[in-house]
Amino acid sequence: MTRASHLDTITRYYDGCSSGDVEAMIATMHPDVVHYFLAPNPGSTPVGGAEHLARYWRKVQSMLDARWLVDHCLEGPDEAVIEWTMCWTPPGGAPRVATRGAEWFTFRGGLIHEIRSYYRQEPATTELDGFPYVARGYSAPGDERHRAR
């Protein structure tokens, strides 16, 4: 697999997550996909199965008006690691925030087979202290678009 093909698959997966499009997400995932989350985030129990995971993200997207964006991607033949930004609106009318994170993807037959997600979910922006996100062109609330190409 080439960098563009894994990045394209991940970007299509994230676009499906951001729109709540279950079929678009399923088209990018192996039927036996498993998504692992960093504890103690809310909902840190692993989610398995393409349809179950797609419906999970549809629910999260509708609750948080979330948009997932790929900022950087590194990959090998059957894996990829990305930095990402999730722009979302905390409950109660708070201003939109950015959660920064990283994910390790494995692929089987060109489809996402495993996702290991590393981030801290808080109702405020979470990111590396002092890192110049905007100066380096990362996504941010109000400028929400994929950066990795």
Side-chain angles (χ1 to χ4, degrees):
M1 297 247 111
T2 64
R3 181 180 187 277
S5 65
H6 286 330
L7 177 57
D8 179 60
T9 301
I10 294 167
T11 301
R12 287 186 296 114
Y13 167 72
Y14 270 23
D15 287 345
C17 292
S18 296
S19 65
D21 186 334
V22 169
E23 293 304 317
M25 285 181 269
I26 289 173
T28 66
M29 295 185 282
H30 187 277
D32 298 326
V33 66
V34 177
H35 193 307
Y36 296 95
F37 298 91
L38 188 66
N41 285 328
S44 61
T45 303
V47 177
E51 186 165 343
H52 187 205
L53 182 57
R55 292 183 187 286
Y56 172 89
W57 286 127
R58 180 176 64 184
K59 181 178 178 182
V60 170
Q61 194 286 328
S62 69
M63 291 180 348
L64 302 178
D65 186 26
R67 182 162 188 196
W68 289 265
L69 306 150
V70 182
D71 290 310
H72 287 280
C73 180
L74 300 172
E75 69 180 270
D78 294 312
E79 61 190 356
V81 178
I82 66 166
E83 283 185 298
W84 54 264
T85 300
M86 178 182 70
C87 297
W88 61 287
T89 306
R96 202 152 171 81
V97 300
T99 297
R100 312 282 186 184
E103 288 182 332
W104 193 296
F105 290 80
T106 63
F107 292 83
R108 186 174 291 173
L111 297 172
I112 299 166
H113 184 254
E114 182 178 87
I115 306 168
R116 297 189 305 267
S117 195
Y118 302 92
Y119 66 96
R120 183 63 191 225
Q121 184 74 35
E122 299 287 343
T125 293
T126 56
E127 57 190 15
L128 298 172
D129 191 20
F131 186 82
Y133 286 97
V134 173
R136 293 213 187 161
Y138 282 66
S139 301
D143 188 12
E144 300 174 16
R145 57 193 163 104
H146 296 292
R147 303 305 174 129
R149 292 288 170 210

